């Protein structure tokens, strides 16, 4: 199916806007970011004793683009671009891996259900924090905490994919037919553009991530039976 | 089936009901003139309202409306049941936050948990000693236990409501 010019224009505009916003965030507004540059705090994981195997350093830290910062630097232009590409690829991969579930979850997205999903996302985050404290006392159960957080991450990615699909469907009703992945791509790019808007973008991204998590939880990752246990009756 | 056909078939019902915008309706008609399969769908969609009109409508049982409304009202969650747990959750979270001395304390707690998890996983693969068990704080455990119970109850209510709205 030939892609309409409206879609080509929209996708091009969204990509250009994302690049310009990333440039703005990484150059003019970079001093406003918390702990920009090499001083970013990291979790102090317990490290095993050193072995003789030495890994060679990855990347080229000496490679600096004029006005855009080092290639792998935190909050540099390339950091924003690579993060955006990573989110886009993960979202499209979720749609490719679980198309049926993503569709069912996207069908539940409406103006009326979005606040419920946000509240569900907040409740899930609080549940995760409480479980972190409870599992920590469980000694061996503490090793489940990383998996718990990994599960939350997968849920959020799936939720973003479903939201992107729903946004793409909304755009298709206005711009005409397009392959669903292209429409979903436009949805992801729209979210990324908004999240790169200075000062308020991160807040929108946080709300979208929490809502996505809530969407995954409420629909049990797009399950057709939801949280019902009818499938156990056989 | 081509993606255009999928889109056109989505619009057929609106076309038959006369609810499609003019430009969109012209596109659908142009596709129908070229696609026989979609034209068959259109014929079916056009004839369905007439067929349904010909079917005699049975008399509804007495009290049907009352029974349906009772059932719907019974399933509907009141705003209090829907939102009250959220307030309880926030209060419990604020209490826990106050107890661990704010967001800095919470960050430290998560950092320690990550360290312990890393050590236990390192012990699993024989790269580090088994860490001593973390000291449990009864008050914090109680607050977190209540938070888990409240959030699980709330999520159960929300999932029921979310499915009903879909």
């Amino acid at each position: 199916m030939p892609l309409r010019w409206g879609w080509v224009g929209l996708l091009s505009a969204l990509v250009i806007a994302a690049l310009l916003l990333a440039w703005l965030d990484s150059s003019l507004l970079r001093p406003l970011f918390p702990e920009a540059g090499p001083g970013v705090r990291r979790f102090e994981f317990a490290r095993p004793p050193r072995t003789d195997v030495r890994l060679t350093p990855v990347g080229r830290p000496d490679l600096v683009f004029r006005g855009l910062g080092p290639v792998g630097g935190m909050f540099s232009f390339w950091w924003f671009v690579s993060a955006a590409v990573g989110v886009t690829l993960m979202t499209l991969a979720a749609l490719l891996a679980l198309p049926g579930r993503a569709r069912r979850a996207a069908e539940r997205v409406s103006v009326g259900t979005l606040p419920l999903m946000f509240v569900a996302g907040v409740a899930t985050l609080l549940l995760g924090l409480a479980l972190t404290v409870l599992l920590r006392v469980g000694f061996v159960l503490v090793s489940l905490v990383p998996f718990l957080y990994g599960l939350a991450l997968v849920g959020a990615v799936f939720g973003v994919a479903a939201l992107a699909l729903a946004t793409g469907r909304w755009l298709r009703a206005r711009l005409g037919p397009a392959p669903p992945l292209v429409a979903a791509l436009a949805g992801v790019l729209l979210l990324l553009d908004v999240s790169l808007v200075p000062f308020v973008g991160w807040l929108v991204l946080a709300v979208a991530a929490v809502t996505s998590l809530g969407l995954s939880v409420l629909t049990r990752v797009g399950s057709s039976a939801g949280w019902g246990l009818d499938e156990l009756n056989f | 089936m081509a993606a255009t056909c999928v889109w056109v078939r989505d619009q057929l019902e609106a076309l038959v009901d006369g609810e499609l915008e003019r430009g969109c309706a012209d596109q659908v008609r142009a596709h129908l003139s070229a696609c026989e399969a979609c034209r068959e769908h259109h014929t079916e969609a056009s004839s369905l309202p007439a067929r349904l009109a010909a079917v005699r409508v049975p008399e509804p049982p007495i009290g049907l409306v009352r029974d349906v409304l009772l059932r719907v009202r019974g399933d509907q969650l009141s705003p209090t049941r829907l939102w009250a747990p959220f307030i309880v959750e926030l209060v419990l979270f604020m209490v826990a936050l106050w107890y661990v001395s704010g967001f800095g304390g919470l960050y430290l707690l998560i950092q320690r948990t990550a360290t312990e998890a890393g050590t236990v996983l390192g012990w699993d693969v024989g790269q580090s000693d088994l860490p001593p068990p973390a000291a449990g704080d009864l008050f914090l455990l109680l607050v977190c236990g209540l938070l888990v119970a409240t959030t699980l109850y709330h999520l159960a209510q929300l999932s029921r409501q979310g499915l009903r709205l879909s």
Side-chain angles (χ1 to χ4, degrees):
Chain A
M1 179 175 51
L3 207 57
R4 289 162 173 254
W5 283 109
W7 280 102
V8 176
L10 175 71
L11 289 172
S12 308
L14 288 173
V15 169
I16 290 168
L19 291 173
L20 286 175
L21 285 167
W23 170 78
L24 186 70
D25 285 339
S26 58
S27 55
L28 296 177
L29 302 173
R30 187 171 178 175
L32 298 176
F33 280 89
E35 299 192 41
V40 179
R41 279 187 295 175
R42 299 179 58 185
F43 279 145
E44 291 173 4
F45 286 99
R47 302 201 180 281
R50 280 200 163 184
T51 58
D52 290 329
V53 181
R54 293 283 178 94
L55 296 173
T56 53
V58 179
R60 292 285 304 276
D62 55 321
L63 192 62
V64 178
F65 286 80
R66 188 190 294 270
L68 297 176
V71 171
M74 198 77 170
F75 302 129
S76 69
F77 176 75
W78 308 104
W79 185 86
F80 284 112
V81 171
S82 57
V85 170
V87 169
T88 308
L89 289 179
M90 280 199 297
T91 305
L92 295 181
L95 289 176
L96 280 173
L98 305 164
R101 283 175 174 267
R103 183 195 152 177
R104 275 193 290 273
E107 282 172 349
R108 305 261 163 81
V109 178
S110 69
V111 178
T113 53
L114 280 175
L116 285 182
M117 287 161 186
F118 176 71
V119 172
V122 174
T124 309
L125 281 182
L126 294 178
L127 178 67
L129 280 175
L131 282 177
T132 302
V133 174
L134 293 179
L135 290 175
R136 182 167 174 256
V137 181
F139 187 49
V140 176
L141 288 178
V142 75
S143 55
L144 293 178
V145 173
F147 297 106
L148 192 72
Y149 287 6
L151 209 62
L153 183 68
V154 170
V157 168
F158 175 82
V160 169
L163 278 182
L165 194 62
T167 312
R169 197 178 179 203
W170 182 79
L171 287 171
R172 273 201 295 183
R174 279 144 189 85
L175 293 177
L181 273 186
V182 173
L185 175 67
V188 182
L189 287 173
L190 198 63
L191 176 65
L192 288 173
D193 278 4
V194 175
S195 69
L196 285 168
V197 170
F199 303 112
V200 292
W202 67 271
L203 196 62
V204 177
L205 185 64
V207 170
V210 171
T211 307
S212 304
L213 184 61
L215 170 60
S216 289
V217 170
L218 286 188
T219 62
R220 204 177 70 168
V221 199
S223 161
S224 56
W227 284 103
L229 298 177
D230 293 341
E231 288 178 352
L232 295 180
N233 288 323
F234 65 100
Chain B
M1 187 167 56
T4 315
C5 293
V6 175
W7 179 75
V8 163
R9 287 174 197 183
D10 278 346
Q11 313 299 322
L12 283 180
E13 201 176 322
L15 180 74
V16 170
D17 293 341
E19 293 170 352
L20 219 53
E21 287 175 15
R22 191 173 174 179
C24 204
D26 289 343
Q27 285 177 29
V28 174
R29 286 199 193 93
H31 178 81
L32 288 176
S33 64
C35 178
E36 191 179 337
C38 287
R39 210 159 44 235
E40 283 177 15
H41 277 266
H42 178 245
T43 310
E44 277 180 26
S46 306
S47 62
L48 191 60
R51 284 188 212 166
L52 284 175
V55 175
R56 288 189 63 189
V57 181
E59 284 297 318
I62 299 167
L64 176 71
V65 175
R66 189 200 60 207
D67 291 347
V68 169
L69 284 175
L70 279 175
R71 178 82 187 270
V72 169
R73 281 172 192 152
D75 285 350
Q76 204 167 24
L77 288 171
S78 65
T80 314
R81 279 179 69 191
L82 200 60
W83 295 101
F86 189 57
I87 297 168
V88 177
E89 284 160 21
L90 288 182
V91 168
L92 286 171
F93 176 65
M94 295 308 286
V95 168
L97 203 62
W98 162 77
Y99 193 71
V100 299
S101 308
F103 282 103
L106 188 66
Y107 177 80
L108 200 66
L109 189 70
I110 294 173
Q111 196 175 26
R112 278 187 192 161
T113 309
T115 303
E116 285 159 8
T119 314
V120 170
L121 290 173
W123 171 73
D124 286 342
V125 292
Q127 287 189 332
S128 60
D129 295 330
L130 195 60
D137 186 304
L138 196 60
F139 181 76
L140 195 59
L141 288 179
L142 187 68
V143 171
C144 287
L146 284 173
L147 193 55
V148 167
T150 314
T151 48
L152 285 177
Y153 168 76
H154 194 195
L155 285 172
Q157 299 292 324
L158 285 171
S159 63
R160 275 180 58 196
Q161 182 80 353
L163 289 173
R164 208 181 59 76
L165 286 173
S166 63

